[in-house]
Amino acid sequence: MGLFILRRSAVMILTAICLTFIVFFLTNLYPNLEKLAKTQGNFRMSDEAVTSWLTKNGYLQPLPVKYGQWLGVLPGWVIDADDGVTGRCITGTVSPKVAEQAASYCGIIQGNWGQSTVFKDEVGGIIAARLGRTGALMFWVMLLMVPSALVVGVMAGMNEGSKTDRTLSTFSIITTATPEYVSGVIFIAVFASSAVGLKWFKGTATQAAKNMPDDYGIAWLPDWMVGFWYRVFEAPTLENFLLPVLTIALYGMGYIARMTRASMAEVMTAQYIRTARLKGVKFSNIVMKHALRNALIAPFTVIMLQIPWLLNGVVIVETLFNYKGFGWAMVQAAGNNDIELLLGVSVVSVMVVLATQLISDIGYVYLNPRIRIT
Amino acid sequence: MEPLGTFEIIARVLYQFTSVWLALIILFAVSIAFKRRLGLYGKLFDSPIGMVGFALVMFWIFTGVFGQFDLIVTHDSLSQVSGMKNKVPGTPMPRPEEGEYAWYLLGGDNLARDVFSRVIDGAWVVVQIAPLATLFAFMVGITLGLPAGYFGGRLDTGISFMANLILAFPVILLFYLLVTPEIVLTGVPNFMAAVLFIFPVVFAGVLINSRYHTQPKFRTPLMIVVLGGMLWVYLSLISTNGYLVSNKDYAIPALPEILDLFDVSGGILVVFVSVVFVNSPTVFRIVRGLAMDIKTRDYVAAAQTRGEGAWYIMLWEILPNARGPLIVDFCLRIGYTTILLGTLGFFGLGLPPESPDWGSTINEGRKLLSIYLHPALPPALALLSLVLGLNLLADGLREESLKD
């Protein structure tokens, strides 16, 4: 088992390196750099001005060198100009003496995620704050999605072909056919529109995000606990949080429910269930005590593998409901070619994807005694 | 003129679809009459769910196609009529010209265009791209997945790693990286098109060769005709104005303009490529799994004992026996591709901003959603019904194919 995890982790790191290199390559193509220079400098820059701006900021070095510097395995660039020294690890223009004090390596390994050009802030800080908000969203999504999907799936699967099964299966097919940007629009139209709707909820979650500041004042609890409590229970209200949560949960739910149904239906045809029935065990007991445990192995993997898909939903929903979280930051970074922020975002999301894959593999082995790894 | 009432709007919308209703009735009447002779397709008409799904899918296909023949649309989907901005459904035109439809059946959007006609034209965008893109993704997935599953080993590890690499990418980030105008300028999507679109040609070549290589007299002419035709289409597809890529730094010539059969407009090509790129790893994984399962069967062992070549076994023994799950997945995947196209439109990527596709229309409509519902809701419901139809169709097919 230890070797398995070790090997998987190695593949994970290799994948992350390959992916970030692809992102690095695509964001560092010359037209993208030119756009960056023009948004940072001014839009009427001549070609020479663009080149000199890019040189001054270290963007025109060879690609592998730049990537090495970002990763932190090569020393950061330093340029001596007339008015002082600039460099990757130096903020602003400083005198040569100060420059000598600065660290020579400053990449992601050293914990330096770089500067965001859109938000004018540290990438690490931005990502941490945004991830906290998205985490609150995901918490409620999972809390709503997983139990209801499992209930729907088990109810449908325990009597295959019955009327309940037909109804619930149709319901799950409808939810899988409704992408977030469709269900979100319908929800806003029905529940939030000021023209004809019910006006029960708000069509934006901006307020919920605003109520989640980055630092919290209570000293006697660990910071992250206060933050977690505050983000998840205090800041969001039913009015501004239900619609986004429902929108994401609904799309993911149908798939998990269908998988649970298939798994449950399969278990219900097994020999030991028939034996239990012939012994005269009550049907509710058969379902709860005999079938459920085995039927929930497959959905566990599905739920874990669903998390990367939820990430897509998060981006759409955060854009639609204007909730300034991780997905929103990703759209901003991608739209403005904010290289360092984009890289940070992709590192985080790739890690999430790979970690959930690893957990689902380990969990599957742990839950299913029939599988042994050699 | 008076604005239309609700019932009148519904009646008029239904009337506009007359040609679609007729086509659907004819199709269903013929199919049900001959269903015993039509194989799996005929069996579809035994399952109510499959029939509903098929009807929904065909409804949008007919709508898309007939919309192009001006049978359904009431106005030009791009023209703006002053005074119709954000008007509610059933508003009469201010000064209708002779022969012009006098109402905006589903109202006007924020640029005073007819919502109804835009939804109909949006169907054509989906009908054009989604099935074809899915087919290409299947070609790529099958051509790579069969050898990976059949041979296993290093080849499998290598291709699987690449597939997992693409799958680990968040789809939207990938779209943003591939579809922005700056990237399009460098020609990255064109190179990807050149690589991805060669797979159907390779597939056809291997398919024919593995079957007929013992009869060179028959094989060689067949190969020349099929591959020649496909290569021509391939080159026409990837080259625009005689070049594969042409920007201010460099240009790579491709097919000369005289021989170029058709031009795919830049936006559509980029969208097409990115959708194929995102879909093919999943298809690859499915085909690989099926190939690993089927290669242990007796008929494969029999073919191996006969001394058949590896590609013959893969393409003529394994692939036909994997068709059931693949057909079902094909339907589901067209639905997923439709969702992806909508996502692209929703983020304003790829297609031109005035394009009538459903995703872009939803994106424009959502900005004023709290005041005006009518521009965003029709395309949203259209997309929902098409994807639902495809999912139901896949469900019906799965059920019927499991019955044998």
Side-chain angles (χ1 to χ4, degrees):
Chain A
M1 192 72 183
L3 196 69
F4 169 74
I5 295 177
L6 206 70
R7 209 171 51 211
R8 284 299 301 262
S9 309
V11 172
M12 228 168 102
I13 291 167
L14 187 65
T15 313
I17 290 176
C18 288
L19 280 180
T20 45
F21 188 76
I22 295 171
V23 178
F24 207 85
F25 168 74
L26 287 172
T27 46
N28 275 284
L29 286 169
Y30 193 75
N32 268 335
L33 291 178
E34 196 177 330
K35 183 180 164 197
L36 180 71
K38 284 182 177 169
T39 43
Q40 292 304 305
N42 70 61
F43 281 98
R44 283 185 295 280
M45 265 180 167
S46 66
D47 284 353
E48 288 79 31
V50 168
T51 318
S52 85
W53 189 89
L54 289 175
T55 321
K56 216 176 81 189
N57 289 288
Y59 284 114
L60 288 187
Q61 304 167 84
L63 188 71
V65 176
K66 271 190 291 186
Y67 184 68
Q69 292 174 356
W70 174 79
L71 210 58
V73 292
L74 289 178
W77 52 272
V78 177
I79 294 171
D80 274 308
D82 302 335
D83 51 345
V85 183
T86 54
R88 185 184 158 80
C89 313
I90 303 163
T91 17
T93 313
V94 293
S95 64
K97 261 207 182 127
V98 183
E100 274 171 27
Q101 305 281 316
S104 54
Y105 293 89
C106 52
I108 206 142
I109 297 174
Q110 285 81 20
N112 188 335
W113 292 60
Q115 284 281 326
S116 157
T117 48
V118 176
F119 296 104
K120 313 274 180 226
D121 203 353
E122 286 273 318
V123 169
I126 296 174
I127 289 184
R130 299 301 158 103
L131 217 51
R133 290 177 188 167
T134 298
L137 190 64
M138 293 297 275
F139 176 84
W140 284 109
V141 168
M142 290 309 237
L143 205 68
L144 182 70
M145 181 177 81
V146 174
S148 44
L150 291 182
V151 168
V152 168
V154 169
M155 296 267 285
M158 66 189 190
N159 266 327
E160 208 187 351
S162 67
K163 227 174 215 151
T164 334
D165 179 25
R166 290 274 165 201
T167 322
L168 291 176
S169 296
T170 314
F171 170 73
S172 23
I173 289 182
I174 293 176
T175 62
T176 42
T178 321
E180 291 90 352
Y181 50 88
V182 169
S183 51
V185 162
I186 294 175
F187 282 146
I188 294 179
V190 174
F191 295 114
S193 159
S194 60
V196 288
L198 298 167
K199 286 179 244 179
W200 287 353
F201 308 109
K202 280 187 185 154
T204 67
T206 323
Q207 196 54 44
K210 267 193 197 145
N211 290 343
M212 295 178 195
D214 298 333
D215 38 30
Y216 304 88
I218 307 172
W220 49 270
L221 265 180
D223 203 34
W224 65 269
M225 272 176 77
V226 183
F228 177 78
W229 176 262
Y230 197 79
R231 281 194 190 98
V232 169
F233 296 106
E234 303 270 330
T237 61
L238 201 60
E239 201 182 26
N240 56 27
F241 227 52
L242 183 73
L243 290 187
V245 167
L246 202 60
T247 307
I248 305 179
L250 213 56
Y251 185 50
M253 205 175 104
Y255 188 64
I256 300 177
R258 289 178 78 176
M259 289 297 154
T260 317
R261 177 191 171 275
S263 156
M264 187 72 191
E266 199 192 319
V267 169
M268 288 304 278
T269 58
Q271 298 287 342
Y272 68 91
I273 297 288
R274 190 196 290 170
T275 313
R277 275 199 161 180
L278 293 176
K279 264 178 13 190
V281 182
K282 251 176 38 189
F283 187 68
S284 56
N285 268 347
I286 293 179
V287 172
M288 298 305 288
K289 290 193 178 150
H290 294 75
L292 211 53
R293 196 181 291 175
N294 281 320
L296 290 184
I297 295 173
F300 170 78
T301 356
V302 175
I303 291 168
M304 289 318 286
L305 294 180
Q306 195 72 2
I307 291 176
W309 290 106
L310 290 181
L311 205 66
N312 267 327
V314 164
V315 179
I316 294 171
V317 163
E318 287 185 0
T319 312
L320 187 62
F321 288 92
N322 202 16
Y323 179 74
K324 294 193 170 60
F326 185 70
W328 192 84
M330 176 157 127
V331 171
Q332 292 303 314
N336 295 298
N337 199 43
D338 187 339
I339 298 175
E340 310 251 279
L341 183 56
L342 256 182
L343 284 165
V345 166
S346 30
V347 168
V348 172
S349 47
V350 165
M351 280 302 164
V352 169
V353 173
L354 298 176
T356 49
Q357 282 176 2
L358 186 67
I359 294 173
S360 93
D361 280 1
I362 296 170
Y364 194 69
V365 173
Y366 184 74
L367 289 174
N368 193 347
R370 275 173 291 188
I371 302 231
R372 293 267 176 274
I373 324 162
T374 42
Chain B
M1 238 181 298
E2 288 294 302
L4 298 174
T6 315
F7 285 108
E8 215 170 343
I9 294 174
I10 295 170
R12 278 177 183 275
V13 167
L14 292 178
Y15 177 72
Q16 281 308 116
F17 282 112
T18 314
S19 50
V20 177
W21 304 132
L22 282 177
L24 272 180
I25 290 168
I26 294 168
L27 178 74
F28 268 71
V30 172
S31 306
I32 290 175
F34 295 104
K35 73 177 174 185
R36 292 282 157 255
R37 282 187 242 161
L38 289 168
L40 183 60
Y41 169 74
K43 280 200 197 126
L44 194 62
F45 292 89
D46 290 333
S47 120
I49 287 190
M51 263 183 3
V52 171
F54 186 65
L56 279 171
V57 173
M58 287 320 287
F59 172 82
W60 284 113
I61 292 179
F62 285 137
T63 304
V65 174
F66 294 161
Q68 288 309 292
F69 297 126
D70 272 346
L71 286 172
I72 306 170
V73 285
T74 51
H75 297 88
D76 178 23
S77 61
L78 296 182
S79 68
Q80 311 176 350
V81 177
S82 67
M84 296 304 283
K85 185 177 167 184
N86 289 329
K87 284 288 185 289
V88 291
T91 308
M93 303 272 286
R95 283 170 301 280
E97 284 164 31
E98 194 67 28
E100 200 178 22
Y101 204 78
W103 293 275
Y104 269 13
L105 282 176
L106 295 179
D109 64 4
N110 64 338
L111 289 172
R113 298 168 299 195
D114 182 29
V115 172
F116 177 73
S117 307
R118 285 181 72 76
V119 171
I120 305 298
D121 280 351
W124 177 237
V125 177
V126 171
V127 170
Q128 260 180 311
I129 300 180
L132 210 59
T134 315
L135 192 68
F136 272 85
F138 263 75
M139 288 286 139
V140 177
I142 289 173
T143 317
L144 292 176
L146 283 176
Y150 185 74
F151 293 122
R154 288 258 169 82
L155 181 79
D156 182 23
T157 318
I159 307 179
S160 292
F161 181 73
M162 302 259 281
N164 289 339
L165 212 61
I166 302 169
L167 285 175
F169 243 114
V171 177
I172 293 171
L173 182 62
L174 201 65
F175 280 157
Y176 259 108
L177 289 175
L178 286 179
V179 185
T180 45
E182 285 76 25
I183 298 275
V184 175
L185 212 63
T186 59
V188 171
N190 297 62
F191 290 123
M192 286 172 59
V195 174
L196 288 176
F197 294 168
I198 197 80
F199 278 97
V201 184
V202 173
F203 179 78
V206 180
L207 190 74
I208 295 169
N209 189 46
S210 62
R211 176 90 199 221
Y212 296 112
H213 68 106
T214 46
Q215 305 150 262
K217 276 215 183 101
F218 178 68
R219 181 219 34 197
T220 316
L222 186 69
M223 286 278 262
I224 290 172
V225 171
V226 172
L227 287 194
M230 286 183 85
L231 269 176
W232 194 3
V233 173
Y234 165 74
L235 287 171
S236 312
L237 201 61
I238 59 166
S239 55
T240 30
N241 304 327
Y243 292 99
L244 172 60
V245 183
S246 164
N247 54 26
K248 67 176 194 277
D249 296 324
Y250 60 95
I252 300 171
L255 204 61
E257 237 173 301
I258 319 157
L259 295 173
D260 208 340
L261 292 175
F262 47 84
D263 262 332
V264 186
S265 72
I268 291 206
L269 186 77
V270 173
V271 167
F272 198 88
V273 168
S274 44
V275 170
V276 172
F277 188 67
V278 168
N279 268 323
S280 20
T282 331
V283 180
F284 162 79
R285 297 233 311 212
I286 294 170
V287 175
R288 174 178 166 271
L290 286 169
M292 283 167 84
D293 176 26
I294 295 176
K295 80 172 175 187
T296 57
R297 303 284 166 89
D298 287 344
Y299 50 79
V300 173
Q304 283 164 340
T305 326
R306 281 206 306 273
E308 301 284 7
W311 282 100
Y312 177 86
I313 295 175
M314 280 183 246
L315 291 170
W316 293 95
E317 301 278 352
I318 294 181
L319 191 59
N321 286 298
R323 70 182 183 282
L326 286 183
I327 291 172
V328 172
D329 186 67
F330 188 73
C331 290
L332 285 178
R333 202 144 292 281
I334 295 178
Y336 181 60
T337 309
T338 311
I339 292 181
L340 282 182
L341 288 175
T343 312
L344 276 170
F346 182 78
F347 285 103
L349 294 167
L351 294 163
E354 74 277 1
S355 145
D357 73 289
W358 294 335
S360 313
T361 322
I362 294 173
N363 182 32
E364 258 169 55
R366 78 179 168 92
K367 287 163 193 158
L368 289 171
L369 198 59
S370 58
I371 319 166
Y372 304 112
L373 302 179
H374 60 272
L377 271 185
L381 294 175
L383 197 142
L384 169 61
S385 61
L386 175 59
V387 179
L388 180 63
L390 285 160
N391 283 12
L392 291 176
L393 178 63
D395 228 48
L397 281 174
R398 182 187 295 132
E399 230 167 70
E400 292 303 318
S401 67
L402 282 179
K403 273 186 189 165
D404 325 311

